[in-house]
Amino acid sequence: MISNIINMADKTTDREDELLASMFAAKPVEDAGFSERVLQKLRIRLWVQRLTLPVAATIGFAVAINPLMDLLALMPSLASLVPARFAPDIGSMLPATQSIVVGGLLLIGGLGALQLLDD
Amino acid sequence: MTDDTLLVARVVASQDTGAYGELIRRHQSQIRNFLRRLTRDDALADDLSQDTFLHGWNKIHTYSGKGSFIGWLLKVAYTTFLQSKRKTDRYQEVLVEVGESGGSVSYATHSDEATDLDRFMAVLNGQERAVMVLSYACGLSHREISETTDLPAGTVKSIIHRAKDKIREQFDIQHHQHG
């Protein structure tokens, strides 16, 4: 008798569950370009993330180049202030301004090329 | 390893957008349906689905391979939904404070074309709605719902029980047809 009651309760619950499941059931949603839109946003985000560092570095370089040049131009005269026994030939140890600019550009170009290869 | 796990491995190893695209195509329907059930606003649900997949890309390395990928993705969707709801709720509070009426976005509060399901959902609170949708629309087990919602399995069971009681109190389920 008890088991019959339990079985009836189970059957009621099953029936109720089935009805709830059928009510909650939804037709599959057509993709209709949704996936492609998400991927497009994702690709744009990735490009922005990848470009952020090189662009920031380039802007920083552009902002810093003039003060850097001024500083480099002052270096020989600053070097002359240092007693000869401490800095015998600082001027000759410093790289030429042109070399620094070319080196910086090569570094930025190299980073960009590496990212393109990575893509 | 399942097909999904292989695709996830490709995404994690080499940021393969093609593999992630395949995952989106496979699961977009379930995610969009889940969010449509929660928000009852197709456009809002699609926006949240888009956010879900974008968040999913950023967090995919946290998927350990235990449990189904769709379960993990539903968790991301549910978190995205809750975050969006919190923002909207705060916005509504501000509107009330400044004396304006009528919010622009409503989460499952009313509908002109209310179906049986809409009426059922209206008697449930947000947590009950989410658990019922995960259980009956997404077919997740209690354990999977527990992982998705970060609720203990016992709590999930009692929420389902309570939700069914509420629905029973308000409606005669046995005589309702598919809505």
Side-chain angles (χ1 to χ4, degrees), chain A residues 28-40:
Chain A
V29 182
E30 289 289 318
D31 190 296
F34 173 84
S35 305
E36 201 42 53
R37 279 197 299 279
V38 176
L39 278 177
Q40 208 171 354

Side-chain angles (χ1 to χ4, degrees), chain B residues 32-78:
Chain B
R32 288 163 83 188
N33 261 329
F34 170 59
L35 290 166
R36 283 179 183 195
R37 287 288 188 232
L38 286 187
T39 61
R40 287 164 60 197
D41 179 336
D42 289 1
L44 175 63
D46 281 3
D47 284 348
L48 292 178
S49 303
Q50 208 169 77
D51 289 347
T52 297
F53 284 110
L54 293 173
H55 289 158
W57 169 270
N58 292 331
K59 291 180 180 174
I60 199 160
H61 62 278
T62 65
Y63 173 60
S64 62
K66 287 177 193 164
S68 62
F69 180 67
I70 183 65
W72 180 84
L73 211 48
L74 283 165
K75 181 174 183 163
V76 178
Y78 186 54

Side-chain angles (χ1 to χ4, degrees), chain B residues 77-89:
Chain B
Y78 186 54
T79 310
T80 306
F81 164 74
L82 288 179
Q83 282 171 348
S84 166
K85 192 173 180 310
R86 268 183 222 121
K87 273 185 205 164
T88 311
D89 288 349

Side-chain angles (χ1 to χ4, degrees), chain A residues 17-28:
Chain A
D17 283 341
E18 277 171 24
L19 281 165
L20 281 170
S22 71
M23 254 177 282
F24 274 94
K27 287 176 191 164

Side-chain angles (χ1 to χ4, degrees), chain A residues 1 3-4 7 32 48-49 51 53 58 68 74-75 77 110:
Chain A
M1 184 65 183
S3 64
N4 278 346
N7 285 340
V48 169
Q49 278 173 3
L51 286 175
L53 186 64
T58 309
L68 191 69
L74 279 174
M75 283 307 269
S77 54

Side-chain angles (χ1 to χ4, degrees), chain A residues 51-67:
Chain A
L51 286 175
T52 303
L53 186 64
V55 168
T58 309
I59 292 170
F61 185 75
V63 170
I65 188 74
N66 276 339

Side-chain angles (χ1 to χ4, degrees), chain A residues 69 72 91-103:
Chain A
M69 291 299 177
L72 285 173
S92 65
M93 287 161 65
L94 293 171
T97 310
Q98 249 182 342
S99 308
I100 293 173
V101 173
V102 171

Side-chain angles (χ1 to χ4, degrees), chain A residues 12-13 15-17 19-31 34-39 41-43 45-46 49-50, chain B residues 15 17 20-21 24-25 28-29 32-33 36-37 46 49-50 53-54 57 117 120-121 136-137 164 168 173-174 176-179:
Chain A
T12 310
T13 308
R15 174 88 183 117
E16 205 174 77
D17 283 341
L19 281 165
L20 281 170
S22 71
M23 254 177 282
F24 274 94
K27 287 176 191 164
V29 182
E30 289 289 318
D31 190 296
F34 173 84
S35 305
E36 201 42 53
R37 279 197 299 279
V38 176
L39 278 177
K41 269 199 169 184
L42 192 62
R43 288 190 192 112
R45 262 189 198 194
L46 285 174
Q49 278 173 3
R50 283 169 190 171
Chain B
Q15 296 219 313
T17 50
Y20 196 64
I24 298 173
R25 274 184 284 278
Q28 59 85 23
S29 175
R32 288 163 83 188
N33 261 329
R36 283 179 183 195
R37 287 288 188 232
D46 281 3
S49 303
Q50 208 169 77
F53 284 110
L54 293 173
W57 169 270
L117 182 62
F120 279 17
M121 297 288 261
Y136 289 102
K164 282 162 79 172
R168 248 185 246 117
I173 303 176
Q174 304 287 335
H176 271 82
Q177 295 300 310
H178 180 273

